[in-house]
Amino acid sequence: MRDDHTAVGPTAPREPRGPRFDRRHLLTGTLLGAASVPFAAAAAQAAPRRAAAPASAGRPARPVVPGADRAHADGWSALRGDRVGVITNPTGVLRSLRNVVDEMHESGAVDLVGVFGPEHGFRGTAQAGGSEGTFVDERTGLTVYDAYGAGVTTMTEMFRAAEVETVVFDIQDVGARFYTYIWTMWTAMQAAVATGSRFVVLDRPNPVGGTARGPMMTAGFTSGVGAKEIVQAHGMTVGELARFFDGEFLPDVAGARLDRLDVVEVAGWRRDVTFAGTGLDFVMPSPNMPTPDTALAYPGTCMFEGTNLSEGRGTTRPFELIGAPYVDHRWAAALTDAGLPGVLFREAYFNPTFSKHAGTVCGGVQVTVDDPARFDPVRTGVAMLVAAASLYPEFAWREDAWDPERPFWIDKLTGSPRLRQQIDAGATTDDVVGAWHDELADFDRRRQQYLIYRGPRA
């Protein structure tokens, strides 16, 4: 995932807010006055029937119902009366797999005035680092604005051109700081402050669970793959992130918080539940995120975008197959001997059809998560980097020719030069992971007041 939003500076930690924070509109057991029991029944009727697995199997005791389905079951009452613009992509679907924009448009219940497409586009036709541009959607007749790479000024102009009064965000995130959809949301939130628009998040589960992991972004290394100071695997849903952005960053960056932020919550999700436990169908959030297994590995293995190893783009298992022409069987053996919890490493050989090493056979590993409850993707990614750098003199960090002042892509992915410098100096996995202990603990403390969903890992 790539983007180029305007970088912004650091923000000091904040204490919990007073009455203004208490007025944040959280659509939980009720949806703008709808009674909770009838609403839950309506949502259950709207969703396809699925067998409920016991909580002991790593699944919630009741069905997981995304915010979009809850809003749809209530006849989109949460959006009536305003001119609505929707930021979404192919993951913005109901449990029936109907696209939310198509459903809103055909229902006639929502006054849709525009759609805003992120990286890969509204209909999902573009590859990494691309978008669909601005066009008129043939199915709905709506203008789809190109929001990928748009700065705050451009996004504000688009909202004003469409005369948007309510901005709706409905995209399935995958829980990693460098996945660009959350930064499209951040830009849109700033534009919503500028236009006085209400902001509504139709929330979805975090597919890798609710635990925060990894290093903090630092101000000097912000970019479109990390525009603000959050950790590498933030452990929040997009609804929780919106609350965090609103409380922690918007006052300093935009001069005010959102006039109104509503989160239509996911019903039935716990923080210890990964996507496989939700009972939901997985829609690819981007072309190189084909399965929930990919999402589990991604917060760690995406760091290989910052090296001269292939991260598996151009294969059927991106971010699970990692390797290079110079890698041999020793890497898989070393990683297996490391005994990392919750993960297995298979010696693998692959020939990417595009991206790094296209058309060349690469040796490497396939990463298989066999116990998500014990698996730490960021620590695993670090262990893989440490072993590769130790074993192979050919190992190198990928340079960013477009940014000579910050030439190493890994620094943008991890938030600072620290990880690169430690590995170059021969640091162990424990050394690298231990370096971010305090900043991770501070971030975890700060985010607690914004969390919506609870469970064993709140």
Side-chain angles (χ1 to χ4, degrees):
M1 303 289 289
R2 295 177 181 83
D3 205 340
D4 48 306
H5 297 287
T6 303
V8 287
T11 303
R14 299 180 180 279
E15 296 301 317
R17 304 278 174 169
R20 179 175 170 80
F21 180 80
D22 294 337
R23 292 203 306 269
R24 301 286 96 182
H25 292 267
L26 285 176
L27 307 184
T28 53
T30 63
L31 190 65
L32 298 186
S36 59
V37 174
F39 181 82
Q45 291 172 5
R49 294 185 179 274
R50 299 175 186 266
S56 59
R59 293 174 171 82
R62 57 195 177 105
V64 172
V65 182
D69 289 273
R70 300 187 68 221
H72 172 251
D74 198 48
W76 304 111
S77 66
L79 305 178
R80 287 179 184 162
D82 280 350
R83 295 170 59 86
V84 175
V86 183
I87 303 169
T88 192
N89 70 355
T91 66
V93 294
L94 304 173
R95 283 171 60 97
S96 65
L97 299 183
R98 282 275 291 158
N99 180 276
V100 293
V101 169
D102 296 340
E103 191 73 31
M104 290 177 192
H105 174 72
E106 292 178 16
S107 74
V110 181
D111 182 11
L112 287 175
V113 296
V115 180
F116 302 86
E119 183 177 9
H120 310 294
F122 165 49
R123 296 293 184 184
T125 64
Q127 256 293 348
S131 67
E132 294 172 333
T134 296
F135 64 99
V136 175
D137 182 54
E138 182 177 336
R139 184 184 187 96
T140 62
L142 294 166
T143 298
V144 179
Y145 297 87
D146 185 2
Y148 176 53
V152 177
T153 299
T154 300
M155 190 81 80
T156 301
E157 291 171 351
M158 289 190 292
F159 287 174
R160 286 179 174 151
E163 298 181 354
V164 170
E165 296 172 322
T166 290
V167 179
V168 174
F169 185 91
D170 184 16
I171 294 179
Q172 177 64 65
D173 182 40
V174 298
R177 182 179 61 219
F178 24 67
Y179 213 55
T180 62
Y181 300 142
I182 62 173
W183 304 118
T184 295
M185 181 175 75
W186 162 239
T187 303
M189 292 174 71
Q190 295 173 76
V193 171
T195 58
S197 304
R198 174 187 174 215
F199 203 90
V200 176
V201 177
L202 303 181
D203 212 6
R204 295 183 180 273
N206 185 324
V208 300
T211 301
R213 307 179 192 273
M216 176 70 74
M217 172 58 64
T218 60
F221 291 87
T222 54
S223 72
V225 292
K228 287 298 296 177
E229 293 80 3
I230 63 173
V231 296
Q232 191 160 310
H234 51 72
M236 291 187 277
T237 68
V238 286
E240 292 174 326
L241 267 175
R243 285 160 52 87
F244 184 91
F245 290 166
D246 183 51
E248 297 292 309
F249 299 146
L250 276 178
D252 285 348
V253 174
R257 297 177 67 175
L258 288 163
D259 184 62
R260 183 172 176 184
L261 169 61
D262 294 340
V263 175
V264 184
E265 294 184 20
V266 182
W269 185 69
R270 295 194 324 246
R271 308 196 75 77
D272 61 333
V273 175
T274 59
F275 198 90
T278 64
L280 299 171
D281 292 305
F282 189 79
V283 177
M284 294 189 301
S286 58
N288 295 294
M289 189 64 60
T291 73
D293 294 334
T294 319
L296 287 173
Y298 178 79
T301 56
C302 185
M303 289 189 288
F304 281 90
E305 282 195 348
T307 73
N308 65 350
L309 281 82
S310 166
E311 64 276 6
R313 293 184 188 274
T315 76
T316 58
R317 285 292 188 178
F319 303 106
E320 296 172 67
L321 287 170
I322 312 293
Y326 58 79
V327 173
D328 59 15
H329 62 90
R330 292 176 295 161
W331 196 32
L335 292 171
T336 298
D337 288 347
L340 294 161
V343 63
L344 301 173
F345 297 95
R346 178 181 71 84
E347 180 185 346
Y349 298 88
F350 57 93
N351 188 333
T353 59
F354 64 88
S355 195
K356 284 186 278 184
H357 307 304
T360 303
V361 173
C362 296
V365 297
Q366 180 175 359
V367 179
T368 299
V369 179
D370 70 338
D371 186 351
R374 300 176 62 228
F375 176 62
D376 181 337
V378 184
R379 183 183 184 89
T380 298
V382 169
M384 293 173 68
L385 288 167
V386 167
S390 174
L391 285 169
Y392 304 109
E394 302 93 334
F395 174 91
W397 305 108
R398 171 188 160 202
E399 293 191 19
D400 183 357
W402 297 100
D403 192 355
E405 294 185 2
R406 302 179 302 174
F408 294 103
W409 189 246
I410 189 68
D411 299 352
K412 298 180 178 70
L413 293 173
T414 60
S416 76
R418 183 178 59 199
L419 177 141
R420 172 177 55 83
Q421 292 169 349
Q422 286 183 297
I423 292 176
D424 284 348
T428 66
T429 299
D430 285 342
D431 292 334
V432 176
V433 173
W436 65 63
H437 177 274
D438 290 347
E439 65 206 44
L440 174 60
D442 179 65
F443 175 80
D444 195 44
R445 176 189 60 78
R446 289 168 57 202
R447 76 183 185 131
Q448 291 299 316
Q449 63 176 307
Y450 305 106
L451 300 184
I452 299 169
Y453 311 95
R454 296 293 165 177
R457 298 188 184 183

